[in-house]
């Protein structure tokens, strides 16, 4: 299941892949007109009209020189998180592991999110306390899925990669098979399912 990584880690790579647009090229004229509009006082005495004019122009100026502009930004980040985690499929399980030498379940997600400068707690039990616990009809790809595998306490975590009706597929590091994609249709995960959290809103 190994595939070449689609992860973009620099502006140079983004330019080569055609997903980077320089904010200046598209917005230089708009930014200039915004500055001009700000410096001119509205001739109308009506505050409402002045506010309308301000809103029309200020919406444009939302970028700066270092921005990487991508369509559907949140979906893009989630796609890259899943790609990054999937690069580790087949890696063995190792208690406390956070590298290609081996991962435990929370170590896989901790290291995956860390590559995108998002720091999660180090244990599945603590991860379950962050973000927002979701209702079943809210689940999305990229959400964290938790299981109570030891003494009715949350002790296992994965990340949702696919949803088909009432079946959820998730990537995780299992103690017996290492990093794999499993399904909530499997009896063990049906029985131990606890909750789903969204940490990226």
């Amino acid at each position: 299941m190994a595939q070449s990584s689609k992860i973009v880690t620099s502006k140079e790579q983004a330019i080569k892949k055609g997903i980077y647009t320089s904010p200046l090229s598209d917005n230089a004229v708009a930014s200039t007109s915004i500055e001009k509009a700000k410096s001119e006082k509205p001739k109308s005495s009506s505050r409402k009209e002045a506010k309308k004019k301000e809103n029309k122009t200020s919406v444009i100026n939302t970028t700066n020189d270092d921005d990487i502009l991508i369509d559907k930004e949140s979906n893009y980040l989630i796609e890259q998180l899943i790609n990054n985690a999937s690069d580790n499929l087949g890696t063995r399980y190792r208690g406390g592991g956070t590298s290609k030498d081996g991962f435990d379940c929370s170590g896989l997600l901790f290291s995956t999110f860390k590559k995108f400068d998002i720091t999660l707690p180090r244990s599945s039990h603590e991860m379950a306390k962050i973000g927002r616990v979701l209702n079943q009809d809210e689940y999305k790809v990229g959400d964290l899925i938790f299981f109570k595998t030891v003494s009715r306490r949350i002790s296992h975590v994965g990340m949702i990669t696919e949803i088909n009706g009432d079946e959820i597929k998730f990537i995780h590091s299992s103690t017996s098979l290492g990093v794999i994609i499993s399904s909530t249709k499997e009896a063990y995960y049906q029985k131990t399912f606890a909750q789903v959290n969204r940490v990226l809103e």
Side-chain angles (χ1 to χ4, degrees):
M1 290 189 80
Q3 53 182 11
S4 62
S5 174
K6 295 178 186 173
I7 297 153
V8 175
T9 56
S10 71
K11 187 188 285 186
E12 289 73 25
Q13 282 181 304
I15 291 166
K16 280 179 190 171
K17 287 177 184 279
I19 57 171
Y20 175 79
T21 307
S22 170
L24 290 179
S25 61
D26 291 332
N27 294 320
V29 177
S31 298
T32 306
S33 62
I34 290 163
E35 293 308 315
K36 195 177 177 186
K38 282 181 182 173
S39 63
E40 289 175 4
K41 290 183 181 175
K43 290 175 185 175
S44 167
S45 57
S46 164
R47 277 187 163 189
K48 245 184 195 177
E49 282 179 36
K51 193 76 178 164
K52 269 185 194 174
K53 276 186 186 175
E54 190 181 306
N55 285 343
K56 264 185 190 174
T57 54
S58 62
V59 170
I60 303 166
N61 194 19
T62 57
T63 58
N64 63 54
D65 219 4
D66 294 323
D67 285 345
I68 292 180
L69 307 180
I70 301 155
D71 291 334
K72 301 175 184 172
E73 285 174 18
S74 59
N75 291 345
Y76 178 81
L77 174 58
I78 287 162
E79 183 187 321
Q80 299 312 302
L81 285 165
I82 291 168
N83 286 342
N84 193 280
S86 298
D87 282 343
N88 298 300
L89 285 166
T91 302
R92 72 186 182 96
Y93 178 90
R94 186 166 69 89
T98 58
S99 72
K100 286 276 192 185
D101 291 335
F103 294 98
D104 63 15
C105 64
S106 55
L108 174 65
L109 295 184
F110 177 84
S111 64
T112 297
F113 277 74
K114 190 72 176 170
K115 285 181 180 173
F116 296 87
D117 294 324
I118 302 166
T119 304
L120 297 180
R122 182 56 191 87
S123 72
S124 55
H125 182 69
E126 291 302 315
M127 281 183 193
K129 295 177 183 176
I130 66 166
R132 181 167 63 90
V133 179
L134 304 173
N135 297 318
Q136 188 172 353
D137 61 350
E138 297 179 284
Y139 300 167
K140 284 184 182 174
V141 167
D143 291 335
L144 302 188
I145 184 166
F146 296 91
F147 301 88
K148 292 180 177 179
T149 56
V150 180
S151 307
R152 302 177 70 89
R153 181 178 186 263
I154 287 176
S155 51
H156 192 66
V157 62
M159 179 166 56
I160 296 176
T161 58
E162 194 180 332
I163 299 172
N164 295 316
D166 61 349
E167 179 186 24
I168 298 169
K169 291 184 180 177
F170 57 97
I171 190 165
H172 65 125
S173 184
S174 77
T175 51
S176 55
L177 296 171
V179 180
I180 55 171
I181 291 175
S182 297
S183 166
T184 52
K185 288 289 189 185
E186 295 169 42
Y188 179 74
Y189 295 113
Q190 267 186 333
K191 188 176 71 175
T192 57
F193 171 77
Q195 67 193 54
V196 171
N197 286 29
R198 180 159 302 148
V199 296
L200 295 173
E201 287 290 355

